[in-house]
Amino acid sequence: MDYYKKVIQYMPRRAAAYGMLGFCYYRLEEYEKSVSFYKKAIQSEPLFFWSHFNLGVIHFKNANYKEAIEPFQNAVATNSEIGRAHV
């Protein structure tokens, strides 16, 4: 976690670092912090499928089903956009 925090300190637009911190906090079951970091990852790189998907998983795991819908829909839409962009 310290590594990713340091990456963010020097490269604050690095979405992957926010996503990895979100994952670390998820594994520690600190879901509020995890959600916060995944949202920052999405702000930095809105077309990255996994940030949306993982945010949906956190909401779903915590039985926040209504909150899980939007991130899952965004993940599907993002994946479709990326697929079309590379064809």
Side-chain angles (χ1 to χ4, degrees):
M1 289 175 61
D2 290 335
Y3 171 78
Y4 296 115
K5 288 177 183 178
K6 190 62 83 173
V7 169
I8 290 169
Q9 182 181 353
Y10 289 104
M11 295 181 280
R13 296 185 46 85
R14 189 74 175 163
Y18 289 110
M20 290 307 298
L21 266 175
F23 178 75
C24 291
Y25 282 115
Y26 170 79
R27 296 290 294 170
L28 293 172
E29 297 183 1
E30 294 186 38
Y31 300 120
E32 288 183 31
K33 287 182 181 179
S34 181
V35 165
S36 174
F37 280 104
Y38 277 118
K39 286 182 178 180
K40 289 177 183 179
I42 291 167
Q43 285 177 327
S44 293
E45 193 174 332
L47 296 178
F48 188 61
F49 169 86
W50 290 107
S51 296
H52 294 284
F53 179 80
N54 290 339
L55 182 57
V57 167
I58 293 166
H59 289 308
F60 189 84
K61 179 175 177 56
N62 289 306
N64 297 325
Y65 303 117
K66 287 184 180 182
E67 291 181 44
I69 292 170
E70 185 178 347
F72 284 141
Q73 288 175 333
N74 289 339
V76 170
T78 299
N79 193 33
S80 298
E81 290 175 16
I82 290 172
R84 280 190 230 118
H86 289 104
V87 173

